[in-house]
Amino acid sequence: MHTHSSARRPADHSYGIIIHHRLAWWLVDFPDLDAMPLRARKLSGRLTPALADWLRSETGDPGVGDDVAALNPESRCWSGEFSTVPSSTDAALFDIDAHPWGSEAGELETRLARTMIDATLHPVPAGFVSVFSALPPENQPVLAIRLSGYTCAGYEVLTARHMPTYRPRSPWRDISGDAVGDNGSDIIGWREGGEWIAPT
């Protein structure tokens, strides 16, 4: 992959996933493979000038762009080691400054990365437990919350069960047993709701 380290701005080094989600590029940091993500940082979509120059020199193509997609043109989601620096144009965003190696992101990491981005964009409302703080007892129906796909509401509440033993790659299931992600976003939070959903 591509390496460079900027001497002008302090760089932050991490293992994570670069993913294009919600119309933007993000870097989601993980402590280890298949662990829970630590944070999601929105990228400027740009490489630092020095990394872009290095990439052009390494590929022998002076026309290679200075955007994140140039690092891995065949993918919109991959894992690896990265260095980032605050963007020179927007302090809330980050530029990629180094990328020593990368590989195809796993299914679990990709799902967790998307969920972390959604929870970063729209924090879990009061009264709900973040899926990154705790998970409900297995197979117990709960009220779950996810981002809504409709403009009339920011969130969608549904009855769901967390079933990691039965479906480890897609543990959140609706009451019928279908994967929650089949018809919308992933779950970002949950709460007990026995008074509403207790069996009769």
Side-chain angles (χ1 to χ4, degrees):
M1 280 288 174
H2 318 293
T3 62
H4 178 264
S5 182
S6 173
R8 292 168 303 188
R9 290 170 280 167
D12 182 49
H13 310 282
S14 64
Y15 166 79
I17 286 180
I18 280 187
I19 184 171
H20 195 270
H21 184 60
R22 304 288 180 193
L23 304 178
W25 285 103
W26 295 80
L27 174 60
V28 181
D29 295 331
F30 286 77
D32 297 294
L33 285 168
D34 294 334
M36 283 291 194
L38 299 172
R39 62 180 172 173
R41 290 178 287 165
K42 193 173 185 181
L43 302 175
S44 66
R46 299 292 176 192
L47 310 178
T48 58
L51 178 58
D53 289 343
W54 182 92
L55 184 58
R56 293 182 189 112
S57 173
E58 185 71 10
T59 60
D61 182 357
V64 170
D66 63 352
D67 58 336
V68 169
L71 286 172
N72 195 350
E74 305 301 318
S75 178
R76 291 168 71 85
C77 177
W78 71 95
S79 62
E81 289 186 5
F82 303 93
S83 292
T84 57
V85 294
S87 172
S88 59
T89 58
D90 187 334
L93 304 178
F94 296 86
D95 298 338
I96 297 297
D97 187 49
H99 184 15
W101 67 269
S103 62
E104 193 67 25
E107 182 179 352
L108 174 61
E109 287 180 306
T110 301
R111 178 174 56 79
L112 290 173
R114 286 194 312 260
T115 304
M116 177 57 80
I117 293 167
D118 286 352
T120 299
L121 286 170
H122 299 278
V124 175
F128 287 85
V129 178
S130 167
V131 296
F132 298 112
S133 299
L135 292 168
E138 186 163 352
N139 205 29
Q140 175 183 311
V142 296
L143 296 178
I145 192 167
R146 64 183 179 183
L147 297 195
S148 172
Y150 302 96
T151 56
C152 61
Y155 299 97
E156 178 184 358
V157 178
L158 63 155
T159 307
R161 295 176 290 168
H162 191 252
M163 306 171 68
T165 300
Y166 177 58
R167 296 289 188 184
R169 294 184 181 218
S170 184
W172 282 102
R173 319 300 285 189
D174 63 23
I175 292 305
S176 69
D178 292 335
V180 165
D182 288 350
N183 62 1
S185 300
D186 294 302
I187 301 300
I188 62 171
W190 61 278
R191 62 176 295 171
E192 294 183 1
E195 61 269 39
W196 294 290
I197 58 179
T200 57

